[in-house]
Amino acid sequence: MADSVFAHVVRAPEDPILGVTVAYNKDSSPVKVNLGVGAYRTEEGKPLVLNVVRRAEQMLVNDTSRVKEYLSITGLADFNKLSAKLIFGADSPAIKENRVTTVQCLSGTGSLRVGAEFLARHYHEHTIYIPQPTWGNHPKIFTLAGLSVKYYRYYDPATRGLDFQGLLDDLTAAPSGAIVLLHACAHNPTGVDPTIDQWEKIRKLMRSKGLLPFFDSAYQGFASGNLDADAQSVRMFVADGGECLAAQSYAKNMGLYGERVGALSIVCKDSNVASKVESQLKMVIRPMYSNPPIHGASIVATILKDRQMYDEWTVELKAMADRIISMRQQLYDAMQARGTPGDWSHIIKQIGMFTFTGLNVEQVSFMTREYHIYMTSDGRISMAGLSSRTVPHLADAMHAAVTRTA
Ligand code: PGU
């Protein structure tokens, strides 16, 4: 038999985040814990489908007038309108003035990719600045779309907080017009967000230099438990009348991970530009996947357009956010109780799904080897994967990692 025409293909490494789950699945230990991927789990360690999502799905199934025709290239119209309202606010002047175009995309990742491809084709500056560190998929998405990726300083390991001066210096030095990727809230992986005051300074600087904001909003409602509070950064940039992009994901805040529901919005100066931009977004989407899937977007639209279901959603969302916050407190208390050397207050100070522990690669691999705790090698743990039952085990592992390894 002749060799395969693909014999030269070299094996690619596992994904740094999703590969953690692959390794976890292979481990037969009964005490194993997966704190790698950012996916919400209940106190019992089970994935959660929100009650309101179940109810919306039931309604969709029962409605025999519903068909499975293709959506338009831009997706479900109701879903797009409601998504824009959710992120920009119900009374957003940009929406009223018809200068926002929103297209349904394949969750947050797909929204980022479509936005990036549009920018690569139609925007004069091809450099995008992303925070150091950031979600590991960002550089790959933007590079493959044809943009050139540069980093701005974001996190200071010494303070385990924001390197605000570094951020300002790097954005000041960026070429005018450059694109800047901003995490709308609950920065991944650091859990460190700018204060409102700092956001205002970032906004002023970016507008004065004509830098184009591209918001990644994967955690609206998940950070504080409040949808409006978590969209404040984005709304500040829209309120000044300037232009920006926003990628939304419903993976976390509605628990629709595998349904792949998201939206890309581009806020433009006027409605004429917005409609031309939309026509070009269709040119990006059509040859990529033609049009988006109908089911997940229908769930979201069903919930967002019904006052009662919307309210029910916010209650369930707040409960998820609160459980994560309580995990922070429990882990912090457990570290205190063990007298683990070092200051662990960042566990309760950081925001959103993740704690950026400060543990190094060796300490992480020690914890995986000896305690069957799975997390990304940068020391990030998904707080949403923890429960009161697993906190003591994690605290033991962290204590041992800090005290036994160099
Ligand atoms: N943007 C950020 C900042 C994210 O953290 C994630 C997901 C996404 C976008 C994309 O999410 P979608 O599922 O496409 O809507 N990050 C999680 C999930 C696992 C992954 O890497 O995709 C994480 O664990 O970092």
Side-chain angles (χ1 to χ4, degrees):
M1 277 249 275
D3 268 354
S4 164
V5 292
F6 304 118
H8 63 283
V9 173
V10 287
R11 184 175 308 281
E14 289 285 357
D15 181 80
I17 297 174
L18 302 182
V20 174
T21 302
V22 175
Y24 168 84
N25 287 337
K26 285 185 193 151
D27 187 334
S28 59
S29 165
V31 299
K32 66 179 179 175
V33 189
N34 187 3
L35 306 176
V37 65
Y40 186 83
R41 296 286 178 266
T42 62
E43 262 294 296
E44 292 71 45
K46 299 262 156 44
L48 178 68
V49 180
L50 301 184
N51 285 324
V52 71
V53 166
R54 291 266 190 232
R55 204 145 73 77
E57 281 191 307
Q58 208 59 62
M59 286 164 64
L60 295 171
V61 169
N62 291 344
D63 180 355
T64 49
S65 72
R66 290 180 52 82
V67 292
K68 305 282 190 192
E69 291 292 284
Y70 290 128
L71 288 178
S72 68
I73 297 173
T74 55
L76 195 65
D78 267 1
F79 166 86
N80 289 335
K81 278 203 202 82
L82 293 158
S83 294
K85 265 173 70 177
L86 184 68
I87 188 157
F88 301 123
D91 51 3
S92 166
I95 296 177
K96 286 198 184 112
E97 291 154 16
N98 256 329
R99 51 189 183 82
V100 183
T101 168
T102 305
V103 294
Q104 182 193 330
C105 297
L106 304 183
S107 215
T109 306
S111 306
L112 290 165
R113 179 67 187 255
V114 168
E117 301 249 354
F118 169 81
L119 291 171
R121 286 191 206 180
H122 300 284
Y123 186 61
H124 67 90
E125 174 57 67
H126 283 183
T127 307
I128 183 163
Y129 282 76
I130 65 178
Q132 176 70 269
T134 192
W135 178 46
N137 217 12
H138 278 149
K140 300 171 196 167
I141 292 170
F142 297 126
T143 305
L144 279 171
L147 298 175
S148 133
V149 170
K150 291 218 166 93
Y151 288 87
Y152 62 88
R153 273 171 285 172
Y154 189 84
Y155 178 77
D156 181 358
T159 63
R160 294 200 173 122
L162 186 68
D163 181 358
F164 189 52
Q165 197 51 51
L167 178 154
L168 294 178
D169 290 349
D170 289 349
L171 295 189
T172 302
S176 127
I179 310 154
V180 180
L181 189 278
L182 301 162
H183 294 227
C185 70
H187 182 273
N188 177 6
T190 66
V192 173
D193 285 350
T195 63
I196 291 299
D197 236 38
Q198 289 170 329
W199 272 121
E200 179 53 19
K201 294 198 171 89
I202 297 169
R203 188 193 65 77
K204 279 207 182 107
L205 169 65
M206 285 184 57
R207 291 311 193 197
S208 76
K209 292 204 46 151
L211 302 174
L212 182 65
F214 193 160
F215 282 97
D216 182 355
S217 178
Y219 299 95
Q220 191 183 351
F222 233 79
S224 68
N226 182 303
L227 287 157
D228 293 313
D230 288 354
Q232 228 178 326
S233 58
V234 179
R235 291 179 192 176
M236 287 166 73
F237 279 78
V238 177
D240 67 15
E243 301 181 301
C244 70
L245 290 84
Q248 280 169 274
S249 166
Y250 290 97
K252 323 289 157 101
N253 60 11
M254 251 189 225
L256 292 174
Y257 307 89
E259 294 289 356
R260 312 306 296 144
V261 206
L264 170 74
S265 286
I266 306 189
V267 179
C268 306
K269 281 279 161 122
D270 63 53
S271 60
N272 180 41
V273 175
S275 89
K276 287 190 288 183
V277 165
E278 180 163 313
S279 73
Q280 288 295 344
L281 287 172
K282 288 158 72 172
M283 301 299 278
V284 173
I285 293 166
R286 172 66 168 142
M288 208 191 285
Y289 54 85
S290 193
N291 47 65
I294 195 167
H295 185 68
S298 303
I299 297 172
V300 173
T302 303
I303 293 168
L304 294 186
K305 72 179 160 207
D306 180 288
R307 188 73 239 177
Q308 204 200 327
M309 292 181 94
Y310 183 94
D311 289 346
E312 201 179 320
W313 173 44
T314 60
V315 172
E316 291 192 78
L317 177 56
K318 174 92 172 45
M320 290 193 285
D322 284 349
R323 200 187 80 73
I324 296 172
I325 291 167
S326 108
M327 284 305 114
R328 291 188 180 282
Q329 191 63 51
Q330 288 187 31
L331 179 60
Y332 176 72
D333 292 346
M335 302 297 285
Q336 292 293 96
R338 281 158 184 76
T340 311
D343 175 6
W344 296 94
S345 60
H346 56 287
I347 297 175
I348 38 181
K349 284 187 206 139
Q350 292 173 353
I351 296 162
M353 206 162 204
F354 304 108
T355 292
F356 205 45
T357 58
L359 295 167
N360 61 34
V361 186
E362 289 77 35
Q363 290 168 328
V364 170
S365 74
F366 167 84
M367 286 168 58
T368 306
R369 203 171 57 241
E370 303 292 328
Y371 286 81
H372 306 273
I373 287 170
Y374 289 80
M375 53 195 280
T376 53
S377 61
D378 59 0
R380 184 191 87 165
I381 57 179
S382 171
M383 299 307 285
L386 264 183
S387 71
S388 310
R389 190 174 47 83
T390 50
V391 161
H393 182 58
L394 174 62
D396 287 344
M398 287 171 69
H399 184 82
V402 169
T403 50
R404 287 188 219 172
T405 58

